Amino acid sequence: MAITLATVATTPYEGQKPGTSGLRKKVKVFTQKNYTENFVQCILDANGAALTGSTLVVGGDGRFFCREACELIVRICAANGVSRILAGQNGILSTPAVSSLIRRHKALGGIVLTASHNPGGPENDFGIKFNCENGGPAPDAFTNKIYALSGEIKEYKIAEGLAIDVSKVGVNNYEVAGKPFVVEVIDSVTDYVLLMKEIFDFDKLKDFVSGKSRGGQPLKMRIDAMNGVTGSYVQEIFVNCLGASKDGVVHTTPLPDFGGLHPDPNLTYAKDLVDAVRSGDYDIGAAFDGDGDRNMIIGRNAFFVTPSDSLAVIAHYLECIPYFKKNGVTGLARSMPTASAVDLVAKALNKELFEVPTGWKYFGNLMDAGRLCLCGEESFGTGSDHIREKDGIWAVLAWFSVMQHTGKSVEDICVEHWKRYGRNYFTRYDYEECDLAPCNEMMDTLEKTITDAAFVGKDFSAGGKTYKVKLGDNFSYNDPIDKSVSTKQGLRIVFTDGSRVVMRLSGTGSSGATVRLYIDSYERENVLGQAADMLKPLIDIALQISKLPQYTGRNAPTVIT
């Protein structure tokens, strides 16, 4: 069948506004007539003249509708002047792998098909986001342009008769409107593995994992891919390259519905991993989310490492990783809700520390300017300037490097770190799928309360502890590179002892509202307490100030991390 270009009349859909990580909706929304086509056309149009003759990367986490969307996007790109597509086999590429491919091939950007840690399947979630030429999520100005175009769209272009089978690796050459169009279906894993070998000392790590450098004792690991995109990466890196036992890696087959698992690597949804490691049979456990950018680390007996502590520990030991030994250590950064453990490391190392809004795109400018090399978010995201996305597998390899360097267990590394720097006790309460109207009212009322001049200096007491308010605000960020300003990024209460309460409404859910409550309590001396006990007074105060139970009707969160 000959390839012909068609212009299809369409009408706008309301609500195609990308959140912090793209547009996420139910599959049944994306599969409405022209819904996906509209959004993809708006992404391409937002690139303007740069689109003509460009290279784009396309791939996603393998969830339901991923492969079909990938093949559809190829046909739309062909009709819009794109010259070359790099597509993951079966439409599968982890989000870190997309970022790596964009950078390595100097592509204009990438269309990533993922709803990250949201459930998959025909009744659940799908998502599309655009990563720009630095490999990172598109900045606000770009996503705002997409949204504006989505409200005005009247037509989209598509190449009819262009048959592409993304299950077969190889180069496919076409002629579209008299010009060459190339679709290269690539192995999803190869490029990313090469990058990891450039960063870490795989020979040293293989000796460590096999037990050659551990007195003959192999490292006992439990790595759970949660039936997400990382399965193939886990098999190649941990089993084939580092020699781990096949029995130590589980749920490594990417499935459209994640096998019924909720691919969010936390203590609630990675329960299988936690239960297995709690037995004491494993030295380290790790899990990843659906698209491979988030991670959870636990030690023997399910000793939990908060994402904030994970970031801080890696920061302290960065130079044991060859990439940083070679390139040096620049600035460190965290998202505003993330506990401030890494701030203490930055101060000790005399490095710049940046506090940015939630969303990985805010780290990109700092990295591109050479001022940032390591960053993290409390939502189980850790990464470095090797790409412009958080990177779950990279974080686990970083922990292997720290364990190999120190010869210590996960728990001993953390305890030693707390004794050196003090401990930021931290938790996040998620209240999922709440009614939106009362949540908006709660946030409006709370903002008025904490920004009133009379709020500063107030004392709040619970559980025998008293906290004095130092600051209350709705966090805003002034980008030191492009001078852009991001406002209303989360309500923040800072107390005089450095403890903090943060509250946000999440923009990444597909329905209802998710309220996130963050509690960060610093202790210089009492670093070995039970986290739940140490945090309870501040949690009670946060619920008292926000009146969250009254507004949401919830007496307990959906998820505690």
Side-chain angles (χ1 to χ4, degrees):
M1 182 177 177
I3 297 173
T4 58
L5 300 188
T7 299
V8 181
T10 189
T11 55
Y13 280 94
E14 291 185 5
Q16 288 194 330
K17 183 175 177 60
T20 54
S21 294
L23 182 68
R24 296 181 188 174
K25 303 286 184 182
K26 297 294 185 185
V27 168
K28 62 185 178 183
V29 174
F30 273 100
T31 51
Q32 294 177 98
K33 182 180 179 180
N34 294 345
Y35 189 93
T36 296
E37 291 89 337
N38 279 16
F39 190 66
V40 173
Q41 184 67 56
C42 293
I43 288 174
L44 300 181
D45 288 345
N47 280 283
L51 189 70
T52 302
S54 66
T55 296
L56 290 178
V57 178
V58 181
D61 59 19
R63 67 177 57 236
F64 191 87
F65 190 53
C66 182
R67 176 170 167 174
E68 295 87 344
C70 181
E71 294 179 353
L72 174 63
I73 289 166
V74 169
R75 293 195 292 273
I76 296 174
C77 287
N80 279 275
V82 176
S83 290
R84 182 183 180 216
I85 294 288
L86 292 171
Q89 186 179 17
N90 294 314
I92 290 178
L93 284 170
S94 74
T95 294
V98 170
S99 184
S100 173
L101 284 163
I102 292 170
R103 294 173 65 78
R104 190 178 292 269
H105 292 271
K106 294 180 170 45
L108 176 66
I111 299 177
V112 192
L113 309 174
T114 178
S116 187
H117 55 294
N118 293 7
E123 301 302 318
N124 285 308
D125 297 346
F126 189 74
I128 301 178
K129 72 170 182 172
F130 185 74
N131 280 26
C132 49
E133 61 186 350
N134 75 344
D140 290 340
F142 191 95
T143 56
N144 289 340
K145 186 185 294 185
I146 294 173
Y147 181 49
L149 290 167
S150 76
E152 303 168 354
I153 188 169
K154 292 182 174 62
E155 60 188 31
Y156 66 86
K157 300 173 185 176
I158 190 165
E160 295 181 340
L162 194 162
I164 178 67
D165 181 358
V166 294
S167 69
K168 299 176 181 177
V169 171
V171 178
N172 304 272
N173 293 287
Y174 306 90
E175 185 176 295
V176 178
K179 295 181 180 179
F181 177 66
V182 179
V183 180
E184 185 175 352
V185 180
I186 61 172
D187 178 85
S188 305
V189 175
T190 301
D191 179 271
Y192 179 81
V193 174
L194 288 173
L195 178 61
M196 292 302 102
K197 288 182 176 180
E198 293 169 4
I199 295 170
F200 299 98
D201 187 334
F202 268 48
D203 290 336
K204 190 176 287 186
L205 292 182
K206 185 173 184 178
D207 287 347
F208 176 66
V209 169
S210 69
K212 186 176 179 180
S213 63
R214 287 167 46 90
Q217 294 295 318
L219 182 71
K220 296 179 179 178
M221 69 180 76
R222 178 85 169 187
I223 308 294
D224 193 337
M226 299 187 79
N227 293 324
V229 74
T230 57
S232 300
Y233 301 84
V234 165
Q235 288 280 1
E236 179 60 27
I237 290 174
F238 295 103
V239 177
N240 296 345
C241 294
L242 299 184
S245 167
K246 291 182 180 179
D247 296 336
V249 299
V250 295
H251 299 132
T252 57
T253 301
L255 298 173
D257 63 351
F258 304 116
L261 297 178
H262 187 148
D264 195 352
N266 59 48
L267 295 172
T268 299
Y269 294 127
K271 186 175 183 298
D272 286 353
L273 172 72
V274 174
D275 288 346
V277 180
R278 186 175 284 121
S279 68
D281 294 335
Y282 299 96
D283 300 309
I284 186 171
F288 310 106
D289 70 338
D291 67 324
D293 59 357
R294 300 172 190 244
N295 75 94
M296 179 177 72
I297 302 291
I298 54 177
R300 184 174 289 276
N301 301 315
F303 173 86
F304 176 58
V305 183
T306 70
S308 309
D309 281 337
S310 182
L311 174 64
V313 166
I314 294 171
H316 178 79
Y317 289 107
L318 268 183
E319 289 194 356
C320 77
I321 298 171
Y323 175 88
F324 298 101
K325 189 73 172 176
K326 175 183 176 182
N327 298 318
V329 176
T330 55
L332 309 174
R334 59 172 173 82
S335 64
M336 183 273 286
T338 303
S340 52
V342 74
D343 301 35
L344 304 170
V345 181
K347 184 177 180 180
L349 297 179
N350 195 29
K351 302 296 182 183
E352 282 191 292
L353 186 284
F354 300 95
E355 182 181 30
V356 308
T358 296
W360 210 259
K361 55 193 172 188
Y362 295 104
F363 296 123
N365 276 354
L366 296 166
M367 289 180 174
D368 291 344
R371 291 176 65 179
L372 175 62
C373 70
L374 178 74
C375 53
E377 293 180 336
E378 52 71 37
S379 54
F380 294 85
T382 319
S384 87
D385 60 353
H386 67 289
I387 55 173
R388 296 297 182 267
E389 286 278 8
K390 46 187 174 278
D391 190 345
I393 286 178
W394 176 93
V396 175
L397 291 171
W399 265 94
F400 279 16
S401 299
V402 173
M403 294 173 73
Q404 185 276 327
H405 176 75
T406 62
K408 297 181 183 295
S409 69
V410 171
E411 181 173 359
D412 287 346
I413 289 167
C414 287
V415 170
E416 183 179 273
H417 186 89
W418 297 334
K419 288 180 177 178
R420 178 182 288 114
Y421 291 105
R423 180 177 180 182
N424 287 82
Y425 290 92
F426 181 80
T427 191
R428 186 182 91 189
Y429 279 18
D430 287 1
Y431 299 80
E432 297 177 348
E433 296 188 350
C434 298
D435 291 339
L436 183 58
C439 288
N440 282 331
E441 183 183 350
M442 174 183 67
M443 296 297 284
D444 289 343
T445 302
L446 181 58
E447 181 171 2
K448 291 175 184 175
T449 298
I450 69 173
T451 56
D452 189 303
F455 187 68
V456 174
K458 278 193 173 183
D459 290 333
F460 292 91
S461 298
K465 293 198 70 172
T466 298
Y467 299 84
K468 183 182 289 291
V469 176
K470 178 182 179 182
L471 169 71
D473 67 2
N474 196 333
F475 180 68
S476 63
Y477 175 65
N478 298 294
D479 191 303
I481 309 303
D482 66 14
K483 309 306 178 185
S484 62
V485 179
S486 302
T487 60
K488 297 185 178 299
Q489 295 297 315
L491 303 182
R492 178 178 62 164
I493 304 170
V494 181
F495 299 95
T496 54
D497 68 347
S499 298
R500 302 184 311 147
V501 171
V502 175
M503 187 175 286
R504 297 178 60 248
L505 284 183
S506 173
T508 57
S510 61
S511 62
T514 296
V515 181
R516 302 199 195 280
L517 174 65
Y518 311 82
I519 307 293
D520 174 11
S521 181
Y522 177 71
E523 293 281 346
R524 181 64 190 91
E525 302 299 333
N526 189 3
V527 298
L528 300 180
Q530 291 295 317
D533 296 337
M534 300 298 292
L535 289 163
K536 189 176 187 307
L538 198 49
I539 291 169
D540 290 344
I541 288 170
L543 296 176
Q544 171 194 338
I545 296 173
S546 66
K547 297 183 173 60
L548 187 149
Q550 294 94 309
Y551 280 105
T552 63
R554 305 288 181 87
N555 291 319
T558 313
V559 179
I560 300 175
T561 51

